[in-house]
Amino acid sequence: METRGIEDMFDFRRFPKQAALLLLLLIYSPVGICLMLIRIFVGLHVFLISCALPEGFIRRFIVRIMCSVLGLHVRQKNPRSRDKNTKLYICNHVTEFDHNVINLLTPCNTPQLEGSTGFVCWARGFMEIHSTASQAAMKECLQRYCCTDGTAPLLLFPEEGTTNGRVGLLKFSSWPFSLTESIQPVALRVTRPLISLNTPESSWLMELFWTFFAPCTVYHVRYWLPPVSRQEGESSQEFANKVQELLAVELGLISTKMTKADKAEHIKRQRHSVPQRAASVTPVRLGFKVQSLTTDDHRLAKMATQVKDVLPHVPLNVITKDLAKTNCIDTTITNLLEIKEDTQLEAAEIATSGASKGGSHSSASAPTIKPAAKSFGKTPVDRHLSFQERKEAMYNFARRRYIEKHGLDQDD
């Protein structure tokens, strides 16, 4: 599996960055608002028709045509390669409505693993599971479902979270691959002009409104891949990794080791960092210029790791904070060394003054300070010279250690 920056796998901006596309979106906005209002009205009728008609080819055909009016266009490639005997479909996850789209092509059920239950769960097209006290109980319930004759296949998304569908796949969870011995992978690609397919912190209802606002959203079910069976002695995680690699190759994406938990952690970091960046504005002649919100966090984290290797005792948050100001490894190392030296010098001066005032009794209880110099200077000038010598020595040591660790040429 390859690694890729997690920030590339999600879109935190709903609108494009290019000025030309933003202008085009601004011109389209009145049309998009009218389309959204019309599609909300049509969508209510689509929901009523899907509830009234019995499950079958006619219902799926009518609903698929009406979904085209809603801006949801569904295309599939190689429909005949779909295996009717398979009880479990595995698909990559791009939008909140992937299961509805696949259900327009073939009957299948997707369990609601988290979120709303009851009417909302049913209205969204999910299958509600009542035995969800634990993951073991849920797996047992789904295994019984797969073993029951006459039931529609299960459709699961082992990524357990959506991505932008352009860069890579989240690491597949292993539990879906423990339900059956054979599965059929489904490769899904989704495209939409002008606006992003999803944003990580947006609700499904908000995503529905943006879907109605957009000119169209095209779902390409590119391949129903041949069924894949578990090999003898193969664990569930190995089986999951194999299927993940197959889907990644078919879609031209990267198979990553990033999980749903990594996505949640990245969203949390973005939530704390974006307000700070948005608050920092630079005054210009005719107004204010907002700093770009697209700081390369991955590059900053890599630089912080390199500084941490040289100064292992300095907290990582202190290093990152200084790097955000300097954007230079050498400058940050120098700043951190100066902070350390200033702290040691102040502590030494405090200890010396306390010892001269308190006499022998207080000197016995004072903390022991070990300055780097051979003797503590008697005058401020001597102490300043000692401080500069120690700072230079520590800086040379840190620089030499950094050069040796990364195999750099000392002449550079």
Side-chain angles (χ1 to χ4, degrees):
M1 295 185 181
E2 298 183 40
T3 58
R4 184 74 178 265
I6 193 170
E7 65 276 2
D8 299 330
M9 298 179 63
F10 311 102
D11 293 328
F12 285 88
R13 294 171 55 98
R14 179 71 65 178
F15 305 124
K17 301 177 184 178
Q18 296 85 348
L21 291 180
L22 280 175
L23 179 61
L24 185 61
L25 180 61
L26 183 63
I27 298 173
Y28 168 79
S29 295
V31 179
I33 294 174
C34 294
L35 273 178
M36 181 176 66
L37 296 176
I38 295 173
R39 286 169 173 174
I40 290 175
F41 178 76
V42 175
L44 293 175
H45 289 77
V46 174
F47 175 73
L48 294 176
I49 291 175
S50 63
C51 293
L53 294 178
E55 174 62 37
F57 173 77
I58 296 178
R59 172 180 177 269
R60 292 197 300 275
F61 178 77
I62 295 175
V63 173
R64 183 175 175 181
I65 296 298
M66 297 187 71
C67 282
S68 299
V69 180
L70 299 179
L72 297 172
H73 300 276
V74 185
R75 303 172 182 174
Q76 67 172 328
K77 187 176 181 180
N78 298 333
R80 295 183 179 180
S81 60
R82 187 168 61 245
D83 188 0
K84 297 181 179 181
N85 297 322
T86 300
K87 300 294 289 184
L88 178 59
Y89 298 143
I90 295 295
C91 184
N92 58 301
H93 206 3
V94 184
T95 72
E96 296 288 345
F97 314 107
D98 295 344
H99 64 287
N100 303 107
V101 171
I102 302 296
N103 199 23
L104 292 177
L105 303 176
T106 182
C108 57
N109 290 318
T110 301
Q112 173 77 330
L113 303 179
E114 58 183 20
S116 303
T117 58
F119 174 78
V120 176
C121 175
W122 171 78
R124 293 185 61 193
F126 285 111
M127 178 180 68
E128 187 173 359
I129 302 177
H130 299 286
S131 302
T132 55
S134 63
Q135 190 178 66
M138 178 188 66
K139 287 171 57 177
E140 183 180 355
C141 178
L142 294 178
Q143 283 177 340
R144 288 199 304 267
Y145 177 89
C146 292
C147 295
T148 304
D149 295 332
T151 56
L154 280 179
L155 172 65
L156 297 180
F157 303 95
E159 289 179 283
E160 299 182 335
T162 59
T163 66
N164 57 25
R166 299 192 305 270
V167 177
L169 301 178
L170 293 175
K171 183 178 180 179
F172 280 12
S173 179
S174 62
W175 71 264
F177 297 87
S178 63
L179 302 180
T180 62
E181 295 297 318
S182 178
I183 61 97
Q184 184 165 22
V186 182
L188 177 65
R189 184 177 291 278
V190 188
T191 57
R192 176 188 293 169
L194 297 181
I195 59 176
S196 300
L197 291 170
N198 62 71
T199 55
E201 294 191 286
S202 181
S203 65
W204 70 269
L205 191 59
M206 186 60 66
E207 293 296 340
L208 181 63
F209 287 147
W210 282 111
T211 301
F212 289 165
F213 174 85
C216 63
T217 305
V218 183
Y219 288 81
H220 305 264
V221 182
R222 296 184 59 183
Y223 295 100
W224 294 85
L225 301 180
V228 182
S229 300
R230 186 201 305 269
Q231 301 297 323
E232 185 177 355
E234 190 175 41
S235 66
S236 297
Q237 188 58 63
E238 292 172 342
F239 190 20
N241 294 341
K242 180 172 65 176
V243 176
Q244 181 180 353
E245 291 287 350
L246 287 174
L247 278 176
V249 170
E250 291 295 336
L251 291 169
L253 304 179
I254 296 173
S255 180
T256 73
K257 296 182 180 179
M258 300 171 188
T259 63
K260 178 185 177 182
D262 296 326
K263 175 184 176 181
E265 181 64 26
H266 181 64
I267 293 173
K268 188 184 300 182
R269 290 199 304 269
Q270 286 290 122
R271 190 186 302 129
H272 287 84
S273 62
V274 168
Q276 295 176 0
R277 297 181 205 161
S280 58
V281 272
T282 305
V284 293
R285 183 172 299 176
L286 297 177
F288 296 91
K289 180 180 179 181
V290 183
Q291 280 190 350
S292 174
L293 302 184
T294 57
T295 302
D296 194 349
D297 293 334
H298 181 67
R299 181 179 59 85
L300 197 64
K302 185 177 180 180
M303 293 168 63
T305 304
Q306 293 176 348
V307 176
K308 184 72 173 176
D309 292 339
V310 179
L311 303 174
H313 301 296
V314 180
L316 194 59
N317 61 335
V318 177
I319 297 174
T320 305
K321 185 177 180 179
D322 194 86
L323 277 172
K325 298 177 181 178
T326 64
N327 199 28
C328 177
I329 294 177
D330 290 336
T331 306
T332 294
I333 292 176
T334 303
N335 292 343
L336 295 176
L337 287 175
E338 288 180 352
I339 293 173
K340 184 176 179 181
E341 285 294 334
D342 290 341
T343 304
Q344 291 181 353
L345 184 58
E346 290 175 3
E349 290 178 346
I350 292 172
T352 305
S353 61
S356 62
K357 291 179 181 180
S360 59
H361 177 73
S362 60
S363 63
S365 60
T368 303
I369 302 296
K370 295 182 178 180
K374 296 181 180 180
S375 61
F376 190 72
K378 296 181 179 181
T379 65
V381 176
D382 294 338
R383 289 195 294 270
H384 181 71
L385 291 175
S386 177
F387 162 69
Q388 292 295 339
E389 292 173 357
R390 286 180 288 148
K391 185 182 76 173
E392 185 68 22
M394 292 188 67
Y395 177 77
N396 290 334
F397 172 76
R399 186 173 184 274
R400 187 165 56 254
R401 182 178 177 184
Y402 178 81
I403 291 174
E404 292 175 355
K405 179 176 181 62
H406 296 277
L408 303 175
D409 189 358
Q410 296 194 16
D411 294 337
D412 296 337

